[in-house]
């Protein structure tokens, strides 16, 4: 598989992603973080980045290291700045532990406002058997050098999408009709994915990957913000080094809501993560 664009590769722990998702334990089960403006779309913090932040707090609070499944409900839009995460251990077992967490920020009167609430089960991905029986196949799209990223299009409005500066995205031309004013109507988005500093993927960055591409709604012909209502991610195995391939599809838009089903494949052609989210389509 082709490698990401030539960058100095950041080790896990040294990356901007790691610094910006790092939480500080205030007391058992309570963590502080300053949400970075570097992961915003317009002024709202990206949902995948938020999920990784909560995922990191739960990895500290629970006895198992890796998210196996994590479900989030996005209650109010998060903004860059101080936040507190409160976790609760629901159950611990030999192979799985379950916990819940909520992220809060503060309103103008100093009162806590809950932004996102998650329920997750954690385990140890390295302990799983190697047996794989699947009908799933990796997405087929052009090599990276024949795909296009944000840097290949018109210069964005300053501050409109800071997150794209921290990602390596190379989108399949077949899913870029929306960028040319001719959406395909198929509700598909496919892209090579990585972090811009070259840091290899791990289970926490997979939580970002499933929510980092342009919305499939764009290819349906819908413009504007598509806020996530609920997002569930299944992490299936620890990804191999190298760029990921992300494929997202929408089959049904009804009543102003749509689903997005995502698959993430690693450089060894393994399905490393799956997700489904419900999002609100702002019809204009």
């Amino acid at each position: 598989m082709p490698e990401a664009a030539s960058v100095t590769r950041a080790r896990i722990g040294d990356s901007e992603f790691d610094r910006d998702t790092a939480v500080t334990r205030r007391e058992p089960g309570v963590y502080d973080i300053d949400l970075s403006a570097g992961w915003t779309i317009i002024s709202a913090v990206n949902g995948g980045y938020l999920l990784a932040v909560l995922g990191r707090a739960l990895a500290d609070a629970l006895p198992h290291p890796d998210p196996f499944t994590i479900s989030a409900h996005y209650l109010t839009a998060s903004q860059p700045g101080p936040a507190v995460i409160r976790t609760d251990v629901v159950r611990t077992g030999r192979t799985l532990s379950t916990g819940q967490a909520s992220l809060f920020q503060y309103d103008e009167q100093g009162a806590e406002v809950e932004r996102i609430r998650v329920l997750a089960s954690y385990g140890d991905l390295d302990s799983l058997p190697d047996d794989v029986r699947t009908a799933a196949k990796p997405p087929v799209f052009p090599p990276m050098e024949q795909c296009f990223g944000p840097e290949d299009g018109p210069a964005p409005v300053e501050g409109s999408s800071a997150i794209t500066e921290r990602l390596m995205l190379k989108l399949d031309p077949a899913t870029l009709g929306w960028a040319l004013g001719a959406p395909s109507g198929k509700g598909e988005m496919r892209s090579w994915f990585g972090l811009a500093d070259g840091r290899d993927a791990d289970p926490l960055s997979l939580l970002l990957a499933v929510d980092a591409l342009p919305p499939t709604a764009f290819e349906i012909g819908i413009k504007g913000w598509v806020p996530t209502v609920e997002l569930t991610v299944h992490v299936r195995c620890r990804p191999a080094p190298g760029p990921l391939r992300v494929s997202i599809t929408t089959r049904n838009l009804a009543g102003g809501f749509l689903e997005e089903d995502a698959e993430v494949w690693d450089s060894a052609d393994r399905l490393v993560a799956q997700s489904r989210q419900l999002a609100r389509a702002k019809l204009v």
Side-chain angles (χ1 to χ4, degrees):
M1 294 295 170
E3 286 290 327
S6 57
V7 294
T8 301
R9 300 192 72 80
R11 295 176 300 172
I12 291 177
D14 296 337
S15 162
E16 187 173 21
F17 173 78
D18 298 299
R19 294 193 298 271
D20 288 348
T21 58
V23 295
T24 301
R25 187 194 301 174
R26 182 196 304 179
E27 59 187 69
V30 181
Y31 302 84
D32 293 304
I33 186 171
D34 193 42
L35 297 177
S36 170
W39 303 89
T40 55
I41 301 173
I42 312 300
S43 60
V45 182
N46 171 262
Y49 163 73
L50 290 170
L51 199 57
V53 165
L54 286 155
R56 195 173 294 282
L58 281 168
D60 183 82
L62 295 171
H64 292 94
D66 303 315
F68 277 24
T69 177
I70 182 165
S71 296
H73 285 263
Y74 295 81
L75 308 177
T76 54
S78 299
Q79 305 297 325
V84 61
I85 300 168
R86 304 187 187 281
T87 66
D88 181 41
V89 178
V90 177
R91 180 185 181 276
T92 61
R94 186 174 62 85
T95 58
L96 288 175
S97 54
T98 299
Q100 60 184 5
S102 291
L103 183 144
F104 299 87
Q105 290 188 301
Y106 305 94
D107 64 17
E108 294 179 355
Q109 287 72 44
E112 286 189 347
V113 178
E114 188 173 8
R115 302 297 196 194
I116 175 175
R117 183 180 298 190
V118 307
L119 181 66
S121 289
Y122 275 54
D124 184 353
L125 290 169
D126 294 331
S127 70
L128 297 180
D130 294 330
D131 183 48
V132 177
R133 310 178 196 192
T134 181
K137 297 185 182 301
V140 177
F141 54 95
M144 197 179 299
E145 58 270 20
Q146 297 177 21
C147 294
F148 298 93
E151 68 278 6
D152 299 312
V157 176
E158 185 175 354
S160 64
S161 192
I163 189 173
T164 60
E165 299 173 13
R166 283 146 190 88
L167 301 178
M168 187 286 295
L169 291 176
K170 289 291 185 179
L171 284 93
D172 180 355
T175 66
L176 275 174
W178 58 273
L180 304 173
S184 68
K186 294 181 179 179
E188 299 175 347
M189 202 67 64
R190 292 182 294 273
S191 183
W192 295 94
F193 174 88
L195 292 169
D197 60 13
R199 175 201 189 274
D200 282 319
D202 70 348
L204 281 180
S205 67
L206 294 177
L207 305 181
L208 168 68
V210 300
D211 193 46
L213 273 58
T216 55
F218 288 0
E219 272 295 88
I220 300 176
I222 295 172
K223 300 178 182 179
W225 192 34
V226 186
T228 303
V229 176
E230 185 270 344
L231 172 61
T232 295
V233 185
H234 298 163
V235 177
R236 308 306 302 269
C237 62
R238 196 176 304 282
L244 303 171
R245 285 160 292 165
V246 183
S247 174
I248 307 180
T249 59
T250 292
R251 297 179 57 203
N252 190 56
L253 186 156
F257 291 86
L258 57 84
E259 89 289 344
E260 286 193 339
D261 291 315
E263 292 184 350
V264 183
W265 294 78
D266 71 1
S267 59
D269 280 349
R270 299 179 306 164
L271 181 61
V272 294
Q274 298 164 279
S275 74
R276 167 167 280 198
Q277 72 169 275
L278 182 70
R280 182 187 294 273
K282 299 288 188 179
L283 302 176
V284 294

